[in-house]
Amino acid sequence: MSADDASFLIGIRSLRRTLHRTAELRFEEFRTADALAAVLRDAGLEPITGVATTGILATVEGERPGPHVLLRADLDAYPVDEAAEHEIRSATQGVSHACGHDVHMAAVAGALIRFAQNPPERGTVSALFQPAEEVPYGKRSGAEAVLEAGVLAPSYDAVVGLHCWPSLEAGVIGIDDRIAMAAKDAFQVVVRGRSAHAASPAEGRDAVVAIAAIVTGVHLAVGRRRDAGDIVAINVGTIVGGSSQSALAASASATGTIRTTDAAVRRRMREVVADVCDGVARQFDIGVDVHWANAMPAVENDPRMVALGRRVLPSVAEVVRMEDAPMTTDDFALLTALGPSLYFKLGVATRGVPAAPLHAADFTVDEECVGVAVEALAALATSVLAERTDPETPKGDGK
């Protein structure tokens, strides 16, 4: 690495630290966007700001027309207080980059700045800094909002994203053969009971007992309605109900998610939730409503981009095949409709040190990963611009 390269990497790591301190929640990433836009302008770029509220789109055009590559990073942080006490600790109480989006932003910015400093001979590289990847129940996806904003091209020759991956060490990149992130369906169960004094429960219909039965029943039923080869994760993450310890609750609700990689299993698991709710409604003589939201398809890697990544990225880092599809989800899935896509896993763990999982209060990264991510994104984009997306059947020169 030359002195200039070293100085550049120091600057990108400094940007990541600034973004880490400035952690903000979905559609509130105003300071984050300002910091990114300032760095991009300093590099001579003219970013489009305010995309879907806080998003940014910046572009570097080559000397001649050619392929168009879209790099994507997510802006928002996660609603968890950072546990570690260190110099770059999040300054926003109760909010931190426990999913590594600060690394994603710094890496995509770094890759685009490299192209700004040395524009490609042909083709175009764009970078989307997307708000609101973290989607609570019933809320809007940031990718959906960006697509509706109409600032993106109708299609791209490649769409590339990445995610910090704590099970991999810094200096390692993981590539999934097909499914990089699972599909997700979010549900809300609302129980309508009847209030009564705790001393005379027969006069009421206890919504809290019913919601407890639903939560337990769903978990048990999934185990009996899945086959050995089915990949399924189900979680109930919130329960709300009641107002007094001395009264039967008139209402209660719970929200959760189902995550799968197969469409048929996905349909069957939705039926499980509905069947359990119907049974509990009859058992407890109460009303139960099930609402579905935030349906998100799986993130599927394009085979040509997988082949490209496995050919190009070993020059940047150790590349490993991811054996099992994860049950995490990402609205990058919506952007894959724009072109052949690759979503790779960026190792962030310090060698020999067990890493905290994503969304944990003590999640952290080894900063070696930042430089690896910049070089990986730049290498992938450079190869696509050279029209080598399929190493076995290269395209013509496009003239």
Side-chain angles (χ1 to χ4, degrees), residues 31 39 41 107-108 140 156 164 212 214 226 230 249 308 377 382:
R31 290 178 299 151
V39 168
R41 291 189 184 105
V108 169
R140 195 180 191 197
Y156 295 85
C164 291
I214 289 171
R226 61 183 294 183
D230 293 343
L308 177 71
L377 292 166
T382 297

Side-chain angles (χ1 to χ4, degrees), residues 89-228:
R89 191 177 191 276
S90 171
T92 310
Q93 186 174 4
V95 180
S96 67
H97 276 294
C99 214
H101 294 183
D102 53 332
V103 174
H104 306 170
M105 289 183 280
V108 169
L112 191 68
I113 290 170
R114 278 208 182 280
F115 284 108
Q117 294 172 343
N118 186 20
E121 292 184 5
R122 60 194 303 274
T124 302
V125 180
S126 293
L128 169 65
F129 300 90
Q130 175 211 304
E133 185 276 324
E134 305 289 352
V135 186
Y137 176 82
K139 300 298 183 180
R140 195 180 191 197
S141 154
E144 180 183 12
V146 168
L147 288 169
E148 291 179 359
V151 298
L152 298 179
S155 65
Y156 295 85
D157 295 274
V159 181
V160 180
L162 76 162
H163 205 292
C164 291
W165 215 246
S167 64
L168 299 176
E169 292 182 344
V172 178
I173 288 173
I175 298 179
D176 299 271
D177 286 338
R178 188 172 70 92
I179 302 295
M181 289 278 186
K184 181 187 79 172
D185 292 285
F187 61 86
Q188 180 188 49
V189 177
V190 179
V191 174
R192 294 173 281 107
R194 185 167 69 242
S195 183
H197 196 286
S200 53
E203 297 179 6
R205 296 292 183 269
D206 195 339
V208 164
V209 170
I211 202 74
I214 289 171
V215 172
T216 303
V218 164
H219 281 283
L220 291 174
V222 165
R224 305 313 301 166
R225 295 275 291 275
R226 61 183 294 183
D227 293 326

Side-chain angles (χ1 to χ4, degrees), residues 12 15-21 32 36 73-77 88 96-108 164 363 365 367 370:
I12 295 303
L15 171 62
R16 179 254 160 178
R17 294 182 175 196
T18 297
L19 297 171
H20 190 89
R21 295 188 191 98
T32 299
L36 280 167
D74 24 21
L75 294 171
D76 55 330
I88 67 166
S96 67
H97 276 294
C99 214
H101 294 183
D102 53 332
V103 174
H104 306 170
M105 289 183 280
V108 169
C164 291
F363 173 80
V365 305
E367 280 197 328
V370 179

Side-chain angles (χ1 to χ4, degrees), residues 11-29:
I12 295 303
R13 287 181 174 178
S14 177
L15 171 62
R16 179 254 160 178
R17 294 182 175 196
T18 297
L19 297 171
H20 190 89
R21 295 188 191 98
T22 315
E24 297 168 296
L25 294 178
R26 58 192 317 274
F27 291 124
E28 298 176 0
E29 312 97 329

